Amino acid sequence: YHCNTCQDFDLCQDCFNKDPKTNRGACTHELQAIAVDPDAAKERSGLSEQDRQQRQRNLLLHIQLIEHASRCQSNSCSSTNCAKMKNYLKHARICRVKVQGGCRICKRIWTLLRIHAQKCKDNKCPIPQCNAIREKMRQLQKQQQAMDDRRRLEMNRHMRFSTTGG
């Protein structure tokens, strides 16, 4: 749903169905339903639903593998890809190019580590950099919350002055 009066205001179907007035802020205008074409989303991503599900499955398997390889102490593990993932993790530790320099291996490993860290609740997680990544995400979330609070305060101050005429 979209407001044609307010700049950049949209509300998803679920939120609108729960309560169309929720999270509206100062917007009191009528919202227009926006037609969502499921094929348009496919065209944008270039993936069919089956391709998307396969990609998701592969991602989960790689995360399971990175979790296994991080915990595995065996030099002759029965997992065929354990040694390979251990080498990738070692590469991510010692690579001088890193993600910022364009190393594709580091980029893929750090993406998997970040996805793991987003879901991980273990305070003593053995996955490399998990706690550091989670702490960085907490800091970014606090910064975002502080920016949102400042923006909200400024909007409230602006609304007070515009309604009082001063």
Side-chain angles (χ1 to χ4, degrees):
Y1 288 86
H2 178 75
C3 178
N4 291 322
T5 307
C6 295
Q7 186 178 16
D8 197 29
F9 182 82
D10 295 311
L11 199 60
C12 74
Q13 178 78 40
D14 291 341
C15 292
F16 185 83
N17 287 342
K18 285 180 193 170
D19 180 6
K21 303 218 182 302
T22 190
N23 297 326
R24 295 277 302 264
C27 178
T28 57
H29 310 104
E30 183 178 342
L31 298 179
Q32 301 293 315
I34 301 173
V36 178
D37 181 7
D39 292 335
K42 178 186 172 231
E43 289 171 14
R44 281 193 301 272
S45 71
L47 297 175
S48 69
E49 181 63 21
Q50 185 178 8
D51 291 340
R52 192 188 64 72
Q53 287 176 354
Q54 182 64 34
R55 179 180 271 186
Q56 187 69 23
R57 184 177 169 278
N58 285 341
L59 188 63
L60 290 174
L61 290 173
H62 278 89
I63 290 175
Q64 288 173 353
L65 180 59
I66 209 168
E67 290 170 351
H68 167 83
S70 297
R71 290 180 173 97
C72 181
Q73 301 296 318
S74 173
N75 289 331
S76 58
C77 181
S78 61
S79 172
T80 56
N81 291 315
C82 181
K84 196 182 294 187
M85 184 58 78
K86 285 180 181 178
N87 285 333
Y88 286 142
L89 290 169
K90 181 180 178 184
H91 169 90
R93 273 195 318 272
I94 63 175
C95 180
R96 296 192 188 283
V97 177
K98 303 284 184 202
V99 174
Q100 296 87 347
C103 177
R104 295 179 69 197
I105 294 171
C106 287
K107 182 178 180 183
R108 288 179 178 171
I109 293 299
W110 278 98
T111 298
L112 291 172
L113 291 172
R114 183 184 49 78
I115 293 168
H116 163 81
Q118 287 175 323
K119 297 175 182 172
C120 182
K121 304 285 187 238
D122 185 359
N123 287 331
K124 295 183 182 192
C125 183
I127 309 300
Q129 300 296 317
C130 178
N131 291 330
I133 294 168
R134 285 197 332 232
E135 182 58 34
K136 182 68 173 173
M137 287 189 299
R138 274 193 289 275
Q139 288 173 357
L140 290 172
Q141 193 173 24
K142 283 181 183 179
Q143 287 175 346
Q144 185 64 49
Q145 184 64 47
M147 288 189 326
D148 291 346
D149 290 346
R150 283 193 299 271
R151 191 177 303 115
R152 200 173 299 111
L153 284 171
E154 185 60 31
M155 287 295 291
N156 288 340
R157 190 175 70 77
H158 178 70
M159 292 302 290
R160 266 194 309 255
F161 284 125
S162 65
T163 58
T164 60

